């Protein structure tokens, strides 16, 4: 039963992260296409917008980690006082597939971590596509 609950939490986090990222990328694309900004300012706008969008996506997964920890599905090992900012940092590092966090997921949080990294890879790929499109417009 715990696996099913963790899967539901993961699917909700994936859905929220993907939806918020899609909406952000679409808004950025429309902004860049309709603006009279220079090529450089368009690129900077897209990069900052994507960065903000990735921060939002990491927030959704961090919330999933926090909920999972609170209902006893696992933990993040490596800190004596696990605060939300530490969970958020872990999520951000995991979403970008960098994997340098000092925290280690245990229990069913390992499953959520893997799904976050997979989702992050897909979102970063979509982001790169918009950056390349913006760069080629000039």
């Amino acid at each position: 039963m715990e696996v099913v609950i963790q899967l539901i939490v993961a699917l909700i986090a994936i859905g929220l992260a993907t939806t918020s990222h899609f909406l952000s990328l679409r808004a950025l694309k429309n902004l860049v296409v309709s603006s009279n900004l220079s090529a450089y300012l368009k690129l900077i706008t897209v990069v900052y917008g994507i960065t903000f969008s990735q921060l939002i996506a990491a927030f959704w997964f961090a919330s999933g980690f926090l909920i999972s920890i609170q209902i006893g599905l696992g933990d993040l090992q490596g800190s004596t006082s696990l605060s939300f900012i530490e969970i958020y940092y872990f999520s951000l590092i995991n979403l970008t597939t960098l994997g340098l966090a000092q925290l280690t997921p245990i229990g069913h949080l390992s499953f959520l971590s893997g799904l976050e990294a997979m989702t992050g890879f897909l979102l970063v790929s979509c982001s790169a596509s918009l950056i390349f499109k913006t760069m080629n417009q000039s």
Side-chain angles (χ1 to χ4, degrees):
M1 185 62 168
E2 289 179 340
V3 174
V4 173
I5 295 170
Q6 187 63 83
L7 180 61
I8 291 168
V9 170
L11 291 175
I12 291 170
I14 290 168
L16 290 170
T18 303
T19 300
S20 64
H21 198 66
F22 167 75
L23 294 173
S24 296
L25 292 182
R26 187 170 66 176
L28 283 168
K29 183 185 113 228
N30 291 338
L31 176 69
V32 167
V33 167
S34 66
S35 75
N36 292 326
L37 296 172
S38 69
Y40 173 74
L41 287 178
K42 285 181 180 182
L43 178 62
I44 292 299
T45 300
V46 167
V47 169
Y48 278 110
I50 288 170
T51 301
F52 184 69
S53 181
Q54 294 283 70
L55 290 171
I56 293 169
F59 172 81
W60 294 124
F61 277 100
S63 298
F65 283 112
L66 183 61
I67 290 167
S68 297
I69 291 167
Q70 289 177 342
I71 61 176
L73 296 177
D75 209 346
L76 292 173
Q77 206 169 37
S79 176
T80 54
S81 60
L82 195 60
S83 65
F84 183 76
I85 195 67
E86 287 180 297
I87 296 170
Y88 184 71
Y89 169 75
F90 172 79
S91 179
L92 189 59
I93 294 300
N94 198 43
L95 184 76
T96 61
T97 69
L98 190 56
L100 294 177
Q102 296 83 8
L103 300 173
T104 304
I106 56 173
H108 295 293
L109 263 62
S110 298
F111 179 66
L112 180 57
S113 296
L115 289 174
E116 180 183 24
M118 179 186 71
T119 303
F121 178 76
L122 295 171
L123 297 182
V124 167
S125 299
C126 293
S127 300
S129 174
L130 181 58
I131 290 172
F132 293 139
K133 256 185 175 172
T134 303
M135 291 175 69
N136 287 330
Q137 285 180 353
S138 55

